[in-house]
Amino acid sequence: MGYVNLSECLRELEATRRLVRLREPVDANIEAGVIQRRAYRKGGPAILFENVKGCTFPMVGNLFGTSERIRYIFRDTLRSLEALMSLKADPAALLKKPLRFSGVPLALLHTMPKTVSTGPIMARTTRLSELPQLRSWPMDGGAYVTLPQVYTEDPDAPGYARSNLGMYRVQLSGETFAPDREVGLHYQIHRGIGPHHAAAIRRGERLPVNVFVGGPPAMTLAAVMPLPEGMPEIFFAGVLGGRRVRMVRPEGGLPVLAEADFCIQGYIEPHAVKPEGPFGDHLGYYSLAHDFPVMTVTRVLHRENAVWPFTTVGRPPQEDTVFGEFIHDLTGALVPTVFSGVREVHAVDAAGVHPLLLAVGSERYVPYAAERQPQELLTSACALLGTTQTSLSKYVIIAAAEDSGLLSAHKIPHFLAHVLERIDLSRDLHFLTRTTMDTLDYSGISLNQGSKVIIAAAGAPRRELSSELPRDFALPEPFGEARVFSAGIVIVQGPPHGAGRDRHDPRLQSLAKALGETSGMEGLPLVVVCDDAAFTAADWDNFLWVTFTRSDPATDIYGGKSFTHCKHWGCAGPLVIDARLKTYHAPPLDPDPVVEARVDALAAPGGALHGVID
């Protein structure tokens, strides 16, 4: 059976040397986050911060920091859950291997939450200001809950069946919020709480909200699962946790997670918003202050000996990367059942997840054609952009499995080389402009608005990729050095960006024109312009992060010998992506050198965390 609560999990992790205690005083303001990120980077244990400055509650970080540890935490239920997922992907497997699915019926019995009269969470109350005031990065606008489980129910149909459990950013303090009375609730587009909030606004009612922190680890993971609308995450938590989730339902109020460590109770008035942010986010930049719903807090509950779990985010990979890998392992087999014709998808973590989606699909529409071209692939790409979390993708690059038996979206260098060998740049780029995009992505034309591009490739190779610049290669002023990063890909040092938002840069247009007139570029179909060529070319992680987080397809893609024909854009020369930081982008995350030095001392020989963090 899975863990009843967080304390039970922490005791087990400590007994198996997967958790260490830190008794040194630690500041929740920046310092705890630095330690957590370094522990993750080293592949270290979970860390229990017993002495948090100015706070009576201990904190635990890096709880889910390794794939081994997350699988250990859910070891009792993982086999049944994997069997359930594979059965969903292939129902006929039940007849072929019935013993493999023997645990599925019991797992399904755990889906419905169990209502109880009371629970440990009802033991005590506190105030927002007495909670750990975690700030992860120097420019963060206040303290944040970083592993919240935000629970709401549908105002039109209250109850578990249409509930939503999501991990939405919760700002505990800041200049705009009334102390101990208000918190910011930042939820992005395409999130399950949205329909509940919309229904409450339509009815002219407050939306009740409970924010759980801690409790059974299965609830934390359920809150980040990308489940379809109408499939309650709390049901999934029961299966993953190996027991029915125990909920206390006060008369006339939302149910409370009985085994939670903390619960922040409150409501959102129909049109109540206040500026929330800034916050150092998982794309590696700050999301800036914008109006988001404000939650009025009525009560803060906590259990005896409560522990505050936290994480921090930043440029990937971070601890949330482990969540993504775990979810992919669970659900990867379901992809063909959700998206017909799609065999594999990879939301690239190094590029911030939503900016870049790689996919392997089928191309079977016209199998008898003399020359194969993307057709079914385009249908599949549109499906990916039409539902679930893949709809937030900005660059969708899709290739046909039939062209290579070794093609995998998770082998990125090989995948991109495969695409660049085959793509027809005059035909195979398809833009969606003035559309919705990820709230955290500042490369577009406004908050939540930008563009997307589908890049599809099918058929035999069209070109042999080159690993060298042409002999007479030259760049127009004011562009600097150029280097081949990988076969077919050139990185160019560009001048600082100076154009306005939603505007092409004339200097990039001139560069694209010059490249289109340069002989010998046939084997170099992709050119990326950046602020720091050496940094961008240092490794694949840097290349992916810079290229896809700092560009908006419609604004920042140029082409040699480009043309527009009947509203279709293409080019005969190389594709040029402007991946410089723009004047309107949010700033990247930079560490606090004073705090970093304090943590260096903890990591040094003789320090309390020597050998635990780097």
Side-chain angles (χ1 to χ4, degrees), residues 210-235:
N210 279 344
V211 179
F212 310 131
V213 182
M219 286 286 285
T220 299
L221 188 69
V224 298
M225 280 295 294
L227 300 179
E229 185 176 337
M231 182 179 294
E233 291 83 3
I234 199 167
F235 288 5

Side-chain angles (χ1 to χ4, degrees), residues 263-554:
C263 176
I264 303 171
Q265 296 181 296
Y267 56 84
I268 303 173
E269 294 283 7
H271 295 284
V273 296
K274 285 190 174 183
E276 182 269 357
F279 179 76
D281 230 312
H282 72 257
L283 266 69
Y285 309 88
Y286 285 96
S287 54
L288 303 180
H290 299 282
D291 283 348
F292 280 96
V294 59
M295 173 180 162
T296 300
V297 176
T298 56
R299 189 166 58 158
V300 181
L301 303 168
H302 72 91
R303 66 187 297 145
E304 297 279 1
N305 301 315
V307 178
W308 184 267
F310 77 96
T311 189
T312 61
V313 292
R315 181 191 161 183
Q318 299 288 348
E319 187 175 2
D320 56 347
T321 300
V322 182
F323 282 131
E325 292 171 347
F326 184 71
I327 290 169
H328 176 267
D329 289 346
L330 286 179
T331 63
L334 298 180
V335 168
T337 71
V338 178
F339 303 107
S340 178
V342 178
R343 302 190 183 191
E344 182 187 24
V345 296
H346 180 196
V348 180
D349 182 72
V353 181
H354 293 315
L356 177 62
L357 182 73
L358 307 181
V360 176
S362 297
E363 188 50 71
R364 304 164 296 185
Y365 277 5
V366 190
Y368 50 83
E371 180 184 353
R372 298 172 61 253
Q373 65 183 59
Q375 292 178 299
E376 184 180 4
L377 290 180
L378 299 181
T379 301
S380 297
C382 289
L384 289 167
L385 288 175
T387 186
T388 73
Q389 293 298 307
T390 61
S391 66
L392 294 175
S393 304
K394 183 169 60 174
Y395 287 83
V396 177
I397 305 178
I398 187 167
E402 292 81 1
D403 294 331
S404 172
L406 301 176
L407 190 62
S408 169
H410 284 79
K411 297 178 180 179
I412 296 175
H414 178 262
F415 180 90
L416 291 181
H418 174 98
V419 170
L420 292 176
E421 286 172 343
R422 289 164 172 79
I423 190 167
D424 181 345
L425 292 171
S426 69
R427 179 194 66 197
D428 295 339
L429 283 81
H430 305 271
F431 292 85
L432 287 79
T433 62
R434 289 330 199 239
T435 188
T436 53
M437 65 186 298
D438 184 13
T439 303
L440 304 181
D441 192 330
Y442 280 80
S443 67
I445 60 176
S446 66
L447 184 69
N448 292 329
Q449 189 178 31
S451 66
K452 303 175 187 294
V453 65
I454 296 169
I455 301 174
R462 294 176 168 273
R463 63 184 64 84
E464 182 179 347
L465 300 181
S466 175
S467 296
E468 296 181 356
L469 293 172
R471 180 176 301 176
D472 298 326
F473 184 85
L475 292 170
E477 293 288 342
F479 295 92
E481 68 169 303
R483 63 180 74 187
V484 175
F485 167 67
S486 183
I489 303 174
V490 178
I491 292 175
V492 171
Q493 179 93 23
H497 181 264
R501 186 187 289 273
D502 198 21
R503 294 286 186 273
H504 284 309
D505 188 335
R507 293 177 299 181
L508 264 293
Q509 291 175 320
S510 297
L511 173 66
K513 182 175 184 297
L515 291 173
E517 296 170 351
T518 300
S519 61
M521 290 294 292
E522 295 80 9
L524 298 166
L526 177 60
V527 176
V528 175
V529 180
C530 59
D531 297 296
D532 186 337
F535 174 83
T536 305
D539 54 41
W540 274 95
D541 282 354
N542 284 6
F543 172 79
L544 295 167
W545 183 61
V546 169
T547 302
F548 297 104
T549 65
R550 299 183 180 182
S551 61
D552 171 72

Side-chain angles (χ1 to χ4, degrees), residues 96-114:
K96 300 173 185 176
K97 299 179 180 179
L99 292 180
R100 180 185 175 190
F101 304 99
S102 59
V104 169
L106 179 60
L108 293 175
L109 291 177
H110 298 146
T111 54
M112 181 58 68
K114 180 179 181 180

Side-chain angles (χ1 to χ4, degrees), residues 24-66:
E24 296 282 331
V26 170
D27 198 334
N29 183 32
I30 312 297
E31 186 177 15
V34 172
I35 293 171
Q36 180 268 321
R37 290 192 295 274
R38 290 196 186 188
Y40 164 77
R41 196 163 61 217
K42 189 176 176 63
I47 300 176
L48 182 64
F49 298 82
E50 294 188 316
N51 188 353
V52 180
K53 293 180 180 179
C55 181
T56 59
F57 298 109
M59 303 167 67
V60 64
N62 204 39
L63 182 63
F64 303 102
T66 69

Side-chain angles (χ1 to χ4, degrees), residues 84-91 333-334 337:
L84 184 61
M85 294 292 182
S86 63
L87 189 59
K88 170 71 174 174
D90 181 16
L334 298 180
T337 71

